[in-house]
Amino acid sequence: MKTLRLTNVKDKKVLVRLDLDLPMIDGAYDATRLVHGIPTLIYLFKNGAKSVRVIGHVGRPKGKVVRKFSMKPIAKLLYLELLKDKAFKGKTEKDVAAWLEVAENLRFDAREESGNVKYAKELIKGFDLYVFDAFGVSHRNHTSVIFIPEYLPTVTGIQFYKEITILKKLLKKPKLPFVFILGGGKAETKIPLIDPISERVSVIIAGGKIPLEMNYEDHPNRKLIIGELREDKKDLSDAAMEQFERFIVQAETIVWNGPMGMYEDPEARKGTAYIADCVARTRDFKIIGGGDTEAAVTALGIDQEKAFTHVSTGGGAMLEYLAKGTLPFLESLKHSQMEF
Ligand code: 3PG
Ligand code: MG
């Protein structure tokens, strides 16, 4: 893999794809994804990159300019976060902005999600290097994910490399039993990955939207256990929480993506809190992932460093990597024939 740390960036104009799709919880941004993008930017600054343009997306505005999905408030957070680093000591927000610009939401243009060569060429104009550090979106066939690497020399950013290094361990002989906990929304993306993931794991226990949107009879899998929901369907039932706990305490490897209930509603957080506590108490190789899962666990006040081996910034991407052993971005990087 072509990585940033092995690349000469001096005097280069660098285009950086970050994962700035920050989850909102109780009306405030959870900045974890943004914070994970900082080491790449600091590296570029310290190693003399001439200028940087950060590109990213927020939400799903479907090709329209939607104010609530603007990148502006997130750009502000990014500048403040950079100023905390000693590399920028004595500098002002204006100084940082003169070196690093944050572009508006890529998805305000429908060509980002449709995948478009012309859009890729517009985005790369004037740049020498592309640094991809948006693990959370690396499973999408979008312009900034799979087309830009074909036209601009591309390397992986620091967070992306870290994610792949850790997740790779799950593909090679993980310790058994391997318990996979699946929940959250975007059931349409996740349901098709259940069968391939089941080949790698001992059991999949499912909550969140999965029990609502999946019919076991249409999709039987002997390793899949769909959790029972409580009466209003917003969270797991108490019986399901206890059933899930019995699997979790026996596990040697755990991967968890997606809250167990409609986490946005404070009345529907018990299942997620219960499962988070069970996972946090075990001593295994434990990976949790996804913007919402991470935000939910943060809101619960769990010490992530102590409780989990790794907290991945991408949920869907983590699932796809586990299911297929590769990602659209990685494939595109392989095919990128560009010389440096
Ligand atoms: C995420 O939130 O998982 C990533 O930002 C990807 O977003 P998407 O599911 O809208 O492509
Ligand atoms: Mg998300």
Side-chain angles (χ1 to χ4, degrees), residues 187 191 194 206 209-216 219-221 224 226:
I191 291 170
I194 287 177
K209 284 260 173 78
I210 308 283
L212 283 174
E213 294 188 21
M214 182 172 174
N215 191 346
Y216 189 83
H219 208 110
N221 183 314
L224 173 67
I226 297 183

Side-chain angles (χ1 to χ4, degrees), residues 115-292:
N116 182 293
V117 172
K118 209 166 150 248
Y119 190 40
K121 289 185 175 167
E122 282 168 34
L123 290 168
I124 66 175
K125 225 173 181 169
F127 292 96
D128 306 309
L129 177 71
Y130 190 40
V131 180
F132 186 87
D133 210 12
F135 177 73
V137 80
S138 57
H139 60 314
R140 301 287 184 212
N141 291 319
H142 295 173
T143 299
S144 64
V145 181
I146 62 165
F147 285 90
I148 292 183
E150 296 202 16
Y151 299 98
L152 191 64
T154 300
V155 297
T156 55
I158 292 171
Q159 175 67 17
F160 185 90
Y161 185 69
K162 184 176 167 196
E163 296 270 9
I164 294 294
T165 307
I166 295 176
L167 295 176
K168 233 190 234 166
K169 294 187 183 160
L170 295 171
L171 302 179
K172 282 191 212 140
K173 291 207 174 152
K175 278 200 191 162
L176 304 177
F178 182 164
V179 175
F180 196 91
I181 311 166
L182 184 61
K186 300 184 191 171
E188 74 290 351
T189 316
K190 294 175 182 175
I191 291 170
L193 299 177
I194 287 177
D195 285 345
I197 288 176
S198 73
E199 286 172 23
R200 296 195 195 271
V201 307
S202 313
V203 65
I204 300 179
I205 49 185
K209 284 260 173 78
I210 308 283
L212 283 174
E213 294 188 21
M214 182 172 174
N215 191 346
Y216 189 83
E217 285 70 43
D218 295 340
H219 208 110
N221 183 314
R222 66 184 175 81
K223 289 191 186 166
L224 173 67
I225 293 170
I226 297 183
E228 178 192 78
L229 298 180
R230 71 184 194 196
E231 226 165 87
D232 69 1
K233 310 284 184 211
K234 286 185 164 183
D235 202 357
L236 291 177
S237 70
D238 287 356
M241 292 177 214
E242 282 172 19
Q243 180 194 25
F244 283 11
E245 180 175 14
R246 287 196 291 276
F247 287 105
I248 293 167
V249 295
Q250 291 178 43
E252 293 284 341
T253 305
I254 299 174
V255 174
W256 176 19
N257 165 251
M260 291 290 100
M262 312 291 157
Y263 199 79
E264 331 57 90
D265 179 352
E267 301 295 319
R269 292 181 181 173
K270 186 175 164 191
T272 304
Y274 192 98
I275 296 305
D277 183 59
C278 294
V279 175
R281 277 189 282 115
T282 63
R283 291 167 158 273
D284 326 302
F285 186 73
K286 302 174 274 186
I287 294 187
I288 71 162
D292 297 320

Side-chain angles (χ1 to χ4, degrees), residues 88-102:
F88 287 99
K89 202 168 173 234
K91 300 254 188 281
T92 64
E93 202 180 311
K94 233 176 133 191
D95 299 329
V96 185
W99 176 73
L100 180 145
E101 170 205 6
V102 182

Side-chain angles (χ1 to χ4, degrees), residues 32-48:
T32 310
R33 281 178 164 171
L34 180 148
V35 170
H36 284 309
I38 298 292
T40 280
L41 301 177
I42 299 289
Y43 180 91
L44 289 169
F45 185 73
K46 283 192 179 160
N47 289 280

